Amino acid sequence: MKVEIWSDVICPWCGIGQARLDAALAAFGHAGEVEVVHRSFQLDPSFPQGKVVPVKEMLRAKYGMGTDQLQATLARVEATAATDGLVPYRVGENDVGNTQLVHVFLAFAAEKGLEHTAWKRAYTAYFGEGRSIFDADSLVALGADLGLAEDDVRAALTSPALHAKVAADGREARALGCTGVPFVVIDRKFGVSGAQPVATFRGALEKAWSERPAPLVVEGNDDASCGPDGCKVP
Amino acid sequence: MKVEIWSDVICPWCGIGQARLDAALAAFGHAGEVEVVHRSFQLDPSFPQGKVVPVKEMLRAKYGMGTDQLQATLARVEATAATDGLVPYRVGENDVGNTQLVHVFLAFAAEKGLEHTAWKRAYTAYFGEGRSIFDADSLVALGADLGLAEDDVRAALTSPALHAKVAADGREARALGCTGVPFVVIDRKFGVSGAQPVATFRGALEKAWSERPAPLVVEGNDDASCGPDGCKVP
């Protein structure tokens, strides 16, 4: 069974949703037969590259909230994170920036077999440690946490193929009707939008498992094909 | 609807199967709603890189056929190709080599929006024109046919991400039970193995269309998600 999760690394609900999905998977009887694939979704692809602003400044500009109201809202999100075991989970003290590079970094880590580890590490670096994830130097440091060599990380950040992969993930999300993240899709059949409770993720896993796709029905008798042992010629 | 076709460029049945699938799609009433994705399958990934041998020499060594028998077999495949409009279609005069690089080239062309065009061009270059497709210079020439810049092609041929993509295609084929190519999969539900008649491909398209997946069922009310306009906070 294939579970895909679209997220952005600076999205507070995504780190929380990831923890809840992980909890649901840990309690799911068929977790060993589940492949989890992380997919990139940029909340704001038009945010200028290289620019970073304090998240509170961005929120004030976006919502026109006063300081007290903003503080109360952020505290509610942090309290929610705490109930999911995410402590500390700073959603008000960080900077925000364009996340394209960190998605490219994560696509590279995925190629190295570190997909899930790298996403979790990125959330912890950003929300737990308040580190930047918006420039090459920060991502080299993040790579070092994962045992990735500096030269490899720097080369990956300019890889057209990895940039294309990130863009393709975004297009695919839109094609599936996803407008917000986290967005979890199971076997391209069931979706869960938002950081829903663990029980909701668990229920979706159970439902998808009970309705999982039948094996491929294949027509054709291989009389006109080539394989490792050569070509058939009728 | 998604149609995936796994092939190797030096596989005579793959060029023929592609022509038949194309014919089936041209006659299919919902072709405008079909996405065709080409996937890589290497018949012999262990063939030494850089080495090329005449196909007849390889076939004699593999099957121990005498010259007359070999000639008759090759003529049958070429006659079949001719009934599908593939003339000339040389299956006995070419060289064979490791196809990893040409698959990487095709993955690069796909990123440039030239996926189907590039595959068709590669078959024509190899079976129609007897050109090599096994080294960087040959692939630069093939790229030039498609309007791709030499520097871009050469850079692509060493891209770890594109090499990883080709390897992933092969792994996915094996996971689906594919042992020979061409291998066509529709919506991961129906498969057609081998260069079956156009009517067989057409029938599979019709059947898959009538049983195409329902739209994604999404749970969750978006009260704990972030989108382009910001994050919801309950």
Side-chain angles (χ1 to χ4, degrees):
Chain A
M1 205 161 76
K2 186 171 184 172
V3 174
E4 296 164 284
I5 177 163
W6 273 265
S7 329
D8 200 353
V9 188
I10 57 168
C11 150
W13 288 120
C14 293
I16 294 170
Q18 185 67 58
R20 293 179 179 178
L21 175 64
D22 288 347
L25 281 165
F28 180 59
H30 310 283
E33 288 157 87
V34 173
E35 178 197 9
V36 177
V37 177
H38 291 263
R39 300 221 179 262
S40 292
F41 186 97
Q42 286 192 263
L43 290 176
D44 188 357
S46 70
F47 197 94
Q49 280 289 358
K51 182 181 170 188
V52 292
V53 299
V55 67
K56 278 187 186 159
E57 186 181 302
M58 182 273 284
L59 291 173
R60 270 194 212 99
K62 194 165 236 166
Y63 300 107
M65 286 181 183
T67 302
D68 287 356
Q69 194 191 355
L70 191 59
Q71 209 62 46
T73 302
L74 295 172
R76 276 209 299 285
V77 177
E78 293 185 357
T80 302
T83 66
D84 288 287
L86 300 168
V87 181
Y89 198 77
R90 312 172 197 198
V91 298
E93 305 307 319
N94 306 344
D95 289 336
V96 291
N98 190 301
T99 57
Q100 186 169 2
L101 274 190
V102 64
H103 283 293
V104 168
F105 169 85
L106 291 166
F108 169 66
E111 282 181 1
K112 296 291 175 188
L114 295 169
E115 184 170 359
H116 191 59
T117 310
W119 274 86
K120 298 285 276 187
R121 191 73 202 82
Y123 285 129
T124 301
Y126 185 65
F127 291 115
E129 300 160 7
R131 281 159 56 178
S132 172
I133 49 170
F134 304 112
D135 57 80
D137 290 344
S138 305
L139 296 169
V140 164
L142 199 59
D145 294 349
L146 298 163
L148 297 171
E150 169 164 1
D151 287 356
D152 294 347
V153 172
R154 290 196 191 275
L157 296 180
T158 62
S159 157
L162 292 174
H163 280 267
K165 161 77 172 62
V166 169
D169 277 2
R171 281 197 303 276
E172 198 151 34
R174 288 188 291 278
L176 288 168
C178 161
T179 55
V181 284
F183 190 75
V184 170
V185 173
I186 310 175
D187 282 340
R188 294 290 167 113
K189 201 167 168 184
F190 301 100
V192 179
S193 177
Q196 300 303 323
V198 174
T200 303
F201 284 118
R202 177 74 188 278
L205 290 168
E206 298 287 357
K207 188 169 174 63
W209 181 263
S210 70
E211 296 184 31
R212 66 193 181 281
L216 202 60
V217 176
V218 179
E219 287 189 61
N221 52 10
D222 272 354
D223 59 359
S225 71
C226 303
D229 298 327
C231 298
K232 315 278 173 59
V233 180
Chain B
M1 204 161 77
K2 186 169 184 174
V3 173
E4 295 164 284
I5 177 165
W6 273 265
S7 327
D8 200 354
V9 187
I10 58 169
C11 149
W13 288 120
C14 293
I16 294 170
Q18 186 66 58
R20 293 180 179 177
L21 175 63
D22 288 347
L25 281 166
F28 179 57
H30 309 282
E33 287 156 87
V34 173
E35 178 197 11
V36 178
V37 177
H38 291 264
R39 300 223 178 259
S40 292
F41 186 98
Q42 285 192 263
L43 290 175
D44 188 357
S46 69
F47 197 94
Q49 281 288 359
K51 182 180 170 188
V52 292
V53 300
V55 67
K56 279 186 185 158
E57 187 181 301
M58 183 272 286
L59 291 173
R60 270 194 211 100
K62 193 165 236 166
Y63 300 108
M65 286 181 181
T67 303
D68 287 356
Q69 194 191 356
L70 190 59
Q71 209 62 48
T73 301
L74 296 172
R76 276 210 298 286
V77 177
E78 292 185 355
T80 302
T83 65
D84 289 287
L86 299 168
V87 181
Y89 197 78
R90 311 171 198 197
V91 298
E93 305 306 320
N94 305 345
D95 289 336
V96 290
N98 189 301
T99 57
Q100 186 169 2
L101 274 190
V102 64
H103 283 292
V104 169
F105 169 85
L106 290 166
F108 169 66
E111 283 181 0
K112 296 289 175 190
L114 295 168
E115 184 170 358
H116 191 60
T117 310
W119 274 87
K120 298 285 278 188
R121 191 71 201 83
Y123 285 129
T124 302
Y126 184 66
F127 291 115
E129 299 159 8
R131 281 159 57 177
S132 172
I133 48 170
F134 305 111
D135 57 80
D137 289 344
S138 305
L139 296 170
V140 164
L142 199 58
D145 294 350
L146 299 163
L148 297 171
E150 169 164 0
D151 287 354
D152 294 346
V153 171
R154 289 196 192 274
L157 296 180
T158 62
S159 157
L162 292 173
H163 280 266
K165 162 77 173 62
V166 169
D169 278 3
R171 280 196 304 275
E172 197 151 36
R174 288 188 291 279
L176 288 168
C178 162
T179 55
V181 284
F183 189 74
V184 170
V185 172
I186 311 175
D187 282 340
R188 294 290 168 111
K189 199 168 170 183
F190 301 100
V192 179
S193 177
Q196 301 303 323
V198 174
T200 302
F201 285 118
R202 178 74 189 278
L205 290 169
E206 299 287 359
K207 187 169 173 60
W209 180 262
S210 70
E211 298 185 29
R212 66 192 181 282
L216 201 61
V217 176
V218 179
E219 287 190 60
N221 52 10
D222 272 354
D223 58 359
S225 71
C226 303
D229 298 325
C231 298
K232 314 277 173 61
V233 180

